[in-house]
Amino acid sequence: MSAPRDSALLEVRDLHVLFDTAEGMVHAVRGVSFAVGRGETLGLVGESGCGKSVTCLALLALLPGNGRVTGEVEFDGRPLTGLAAARMDRVLGRDIAMVFQDPVGSLNPVHTIGWQIAESLRLHRGMIRREAQAEALRLLERVGIPEARRRLTEYPHQLSGGMNQRAMIAMALACRPKLLIADEPTTALDVTIQAQIIELLKDLQSEFRMSVVLVTHDLGIVAEIADRVAVMYAGSLVEEAPVSALFRSPAHPYTAGLLASMPRIDRTAESLNPIEGAVPSLLDMPPGCAFEPRCPRADTACRAAPPPLLRLDAGRRAACVHPLAAP
């Protein structure tokens, strides 16, 4: 179940995203609804291409020109859907910040790290140049970048992947946002740096009391940092549950398949247990449940129509005709 309405910072209702392509109209996100409570971390998980990142970009009106969005998005009690570009610019960076999965590609290569952080401080917090530079230095030190004063004058290509990611986090936190969207924040980082970034996010969330949407395919990270988990498959939300309940007893067969495919340190296995088959093309979706062609529990009822996302018990929803964790 989503966060209670009176405590929700972000509410998304019946979100659809379509792209007009040369091959036809691609329905990339299909009726997604969820909420994020104040101070809560929601893990948004699923295979690559399931619509996680597109969902987040749609919330912030950052889609390319061929994208079309329908549905309702409310942030802190105010509608974001259809907000004029100038007003959205005031929300982004100040109240909502995003950490992208490719920090080097997201940072401006022709400006120093210090300049890029200070620019946000000048625009959104009205700081003069000297104040912005001092705050940028404090932020770099807070996110654990060594020799922070020297890094202020360096360019993204002069920093390692881990330091660029930390710089992105510093930039995102510059205006003390209420909501941080972290899109695959540990992609392409080695395991040691991944652990450091996750610990940093946990510490910063506690310090700034912000809500977090963590987009990832890594269930291990979700288990460590998230309060609730929303699982996406082929553009739709198929399960939502508190993190402990989801790991203990997944309701949707797809979620169970994701968990079964994870390597376990407490068990010995010669090979992993992958989910058979492949995600269907968004241009040629099955008539019923999108997971039906890969599901060992599927029957004729699953092929009749896409199942709605229904409440199973307190805190859990699933879109399945035959849920594993039935009430």
Side-chain angles (χ1 to χ4, degrees), residues 174-206:
C175 296
R176 302 171 186 172
K178 298 176 182 177
L179 174 66
L180 176 68
I181 299 176
D183 187 2
E184 301 280 8
T186 60
T187 295
L189 302 179
D190 64 53
V191 175
T192 301
I193 302 300
Q194 284 185 19
Q196 293 174 0
I197 294 296
I198 293 303
E199 285 301 315
L200 174 62
L201 288 174
K202 289 168 64 177
D203 290 345
L204 291 172
Q205 181 189 26
S206 176

Side-chain angles (χ1 to χ4, degrees), residues 16 24 36 63 76 81 89 118 148 151 158 160 173 177 191 194 201 217 230 245-246 250 260 268 276 285 291 294:
H16 292 260
V36 182
L63 293 174
D76 205 11
T81 318
D89 286 343
R151 304 302 180 187
Q158 296 176 282
S160 67
L173 296 177
V191 175
Q194 284 185 19
L201 288 174
H217 61 271
L246 183 129
T268 301
E276 298 296 330
M285 292 288 286
F291 190 61
R294 307 174 71 185

Side-chain angles (χ1 to χ4, degrees), residues 149-166:
R149 188 175 297 279
R150 178 162 68 88
R151 304 302 180 187
L152 283 173
T153 61
E154 294 185 338
Y155 294 85
H157 73 273
Q158 296 176 282
L159 275 62
S160 67
M163 283 196 287
N164 272 310
Q165 192 63 284
R166 289 173 186 268

Side-chain angles (χ1 to χ4, degrees), residues 19 64 122 127-128 152 161 180 189 192 205 224 227-228 257:
F19 292 100
R122 292 195 300 268
M127 291 185 176
I128 63 174
L152 283 173
L180 176 68
L189 302 179
T192 301
Q205 181 189 26
E224 186 173 350
D227 300 303
R228 284 187 305 117

Side-chain angles (χ1 to χ4, degrees), residues 25-231:
M25 189 65 71
V26 174
H27 200 165
V29 176
R30 300 166 176 259
V32 167
S33 299
F34 62 87
V36 182
R38 300 176 188 276
E40 179 184 47
T41 296
L42 175 71
L44 192 59
V45 306
E47 293 172 275
S48 297
C50 70
K52 307 184 301 293
S53 296
V54 171
T55 295
C56 294
L57 293 174
L59 302 181
L60 306 182
L62 296 177
L63 293 174
N66 67 331
R68 179 161 58 90
V69 180
T70 63
E72 298 180 37
V73 180
E74 284 190 7
F75 174 75
D76 205 11
R78 298 169 293 171
L80 288 186
T81 318
L83 205 62
R87 292 184 63 191
M88 180 62 84
D89 286 343
R90 288 197 292 270
V91 173
L92 297 181
R94 185 184 65 184
D95 295 326
I96 305 176
M98 187 164 183
V99 175
F100 297 92
Q101 59 181 286
D102 178 14
V104 177
S106 302
L107 292 167
N108 193 323
V110 301
H111 289 296
T112 65
I113 295 298
W115 187 95
Q116 294 182 63
I117 299 174
E119 180 189 33
S120 180
L121 293 165
R122 292 195 300 268
L123 288 174
H124 294 293
R125 292 177 61 181
M127 291 185 176
I128 63 174
R129 181 176 179 180
R130 181 179 300 175
E131 291 174 330
Q133 285 291 326
E135 180 65 5
L137 174 61
R138 189 192 72 79
L139 285 165
L140 288 184
E141 291 173 339
R142 178 62 191 86
V143 298
I145 288 185
E147 301 180 81
R149 188 175 297 279
R150 178 162 68 88
R151 304 302 180 187
L152 283 173
T153 61
E154 294 185 338
Y155 294 85
H157 73 273
Q158 296 176 282
L159 275 62
S160 67
M163 283 196 287
N164 272 310
Q165 192 63 284
R166 289 173 186 268
M168 279 288 297
I169 294 171
M171 193 179 308
L173 296 177
C175 296
R176 302 171 186 172
K178 298 176 182 177
L179 174 66
L180 176 68
I181 299 176
D183 187 2
E184 301 280 8
T186 60
T187 295
L189 302 179
D190 64 53
V191 175
T192 301
I193 302 300
Q194 284 185 19
Q196 293 174 0
I197 294 296
I198 293 303
E199 285 301 315
L200 174 62
L201 288 174
K202 289 168 64 177
D203 290 345
L204 291 172
Q205 181 189 26
S206 176
E207 178 180 339
F208 288 88
R209 298 181 181 179
M210 61 187 175
S211 302
V212 176
V213 175
L214 175 66
V215 179
T216 183
H217 61 271
D218 190 330
L219 287 168
I221 291 175
V222 168
E224 186 173 350
I225 195 173
D227 300 303
R228 284 187 305 117
V229 188
V231 182

